[in-house]
Amino acid sequence: MTDVPINKRADPNDIRDRGLSETPEERASYLRAGHTLRSWFLTTDHKRIALLYLVSVTFFFFVGGIAAALIRIDLLTPEGDLLSNEGYNRAFTLHGVIMVWFFLIPSIPNTFGNFLIPLMIGAKDLAFPRLNLLSWYIYVIGGLCTLFVLVAGGVDTGWTFYTPLSSMFAHGQVVMAATAVFIVGFSSILTGLNFIVTIHKLRCPGMTWGRLPLFVWSHYATSLILVLATPVLSITLALIAAERLFGVGVFDPKLGGDPLLYQHLFWFYSHPAVYIMVLPGLGVVSELVTAAARKRVFGYWFVAGSSLAIAAVGFLVWGHHMFVAGQSMYASAVFSFLSLVVAVPSAVKVYNWTATLYKGQIAIDPPFLFAASFIGLFVFGGLTGLVLAMLAVDMHVHDTYFVIAHFHYIMVGGTVSAYFGALHFWWPKMFGRTYPMVWGRIMALLIYLGFNLTFFPQFILGYLGMPRRYHVYPPEWQVWNVLSSTGASILGIAYLLPFVYLLWSLRYGPPASANPWGAAGLEWTVPSPPPKENFVETPVVDYPAYNYPMEMEEGARG
Amino acid sequence: MEQARKRLATVWLALLALLALTVAGSFTVTGAASAVVSFGVAAAKVALIFWFFMQLRTEKGLIRVFAVGAIAWLAILLTLVTIDKVTR
């Protein structure tokens, strides 16, 4: 990043000199376009709505994080001496519900997608700005319902709400929790719909499909899943409520229902939802890798197409969650094969990123460190996913900590790394200030180390047979659990760090230029922070995506 | 305008008739035939709603592709669940 000379104190003798407390770009930006609460809470500006989401998802990230901390503290000892059995069940259920629906799913799309898609395609806003605001309000209502569940005694079914536990046996706030998830689903659907229409209809002149940034492609793929899968979850949760409240026989065998049907319907949504969580992260990493290498992305169409392929094939693999649940072995064999197939487009991306970095002039800045962490952890999480897709091995490790470690490598190692990578990459664009690079680098390294220390031992625990959702375990497993909890403390500290240096940068950070990373892309052509209407004149694109200068090797020059 | 209203009313009445058929079918037809009847009637209802209420008759190209996409995804759900159910 090009450093701006630090000259932040205003000249006390010159009343017009505001020092660095407000730059001319800031004065003209969306951040200063209205100072009232009303101008924030009734805004239809996609950038402001993105910030509303940024604050809300950060809040829920820490609520979910507190639940995780309770779990890890309880697991320090083989006895369940911090939480009661019920308390432990409630802690991991709320951890899952909050992290999945109130952090991971909205995290990258609703903050960075909202902020960046119009800027990246040369539009003034999303196609339906008021729908965008409505989507945030629906999210908040869903979130309040979840907080109500939290204070009203919690819910103990696990985030998956499996029947017949959720429909017949659980005593917690099942219906209220399901209602919260039902409500927040509509927020997802509206956001997905908004992105699809925006990407189809609001691209500026010259911004053809082949010139779209890969971030936009991955959000397009994500939006398709949001729109196609989320209604199935909503219907499924409504069916649970119907069975629990009115005794309609859908999942209860005594009433003529089929318990496995619940798992089919739930995972028809929830497996694609894994891709809702990770696809935006894949898009972020494509941007970070090309910007760090200062090179055109290798195999543009393969990376773009692999997003769509992941979205489509991701819908065909849900049965791998039910290999030991009584699903027919023929169906299991089909799902096992299809689960292996989804690894192909994921691997395409990793190969292309690596090829993009090859001979690039890589800057070891925080965004690149997050992207590199993502790639490593995503590969590890993905490969262990292949292990789990094998029918015989899954018999051994199903519902153990092996599964927990696997999906945390994808969702936390992958998505959360990408989220922080995006935050560090676009922070100067969003707020017009740069932060101390060294702190960003330290945070990226701490997250990588803390993450691996937390979750790698869980692979071993799972392989040794420690089941998930238990807080009492044989003493010989304590060492792995202590390692894991130690890693979690490092991770916790690392997650708190940005609160210090990013918030510090808002006031004291040197102002960022329009393009502090020297990156390609329309969002870097507007001032930092961008003006309210994004572009003073509608941009015209007559160059390819990632238009970095081509460099020839010495011997190749003509 | 008048014609459009009449058309909507006719479609609505057709939907009500199909609903009556579903209810009647559930009492009179049993076994595998029952599923055929109820799914057949449901498909007819969906077609009417797609074509008239969702105005796909006046839309073209991409919008129709998206509508067919929704049906295709429903087909994926039903097919793969059925594979499990019939071979369990």
Side-chain angles (χ1 to χ4, degrees), chain A residues 200 220 228 258 260 264 268 315-316 318 326-328 330-331 335, chain B residues 62 66 69-70 73-74 76-78 80-81 83-85 87-88:
Chain A
H200 271 282
Y220 184 75
L228 286 167
D258 181 349
L260 206 50
H264 273 299
F268 183 81
F315 268 101
L316 309 176
W318 79 84
Q327 179 175 249
S328 107
Y330 302 103
F335 281 120
Chain B
L62 192 64
F66 268 81
W73 253 256
L74 189 63
I76 292 172
L77 172 65
L78 296 177
L80 287 174
V81 173
I83 287 178
D84 168 37
K85 186 74 187 167
T87 58
R88 215 183 271 170

Side-chain angles (χ1 to χ4, degrees), chain A residues 289-306:
Chain A
V289 162
T290 47
R294 285 158 178 72
K295 274 178 68 190
R296 287 188 192 176
V297 71
F298 180 85
Y300 174 89
W301 280 112
F302 276 90
V303 183
S306 62

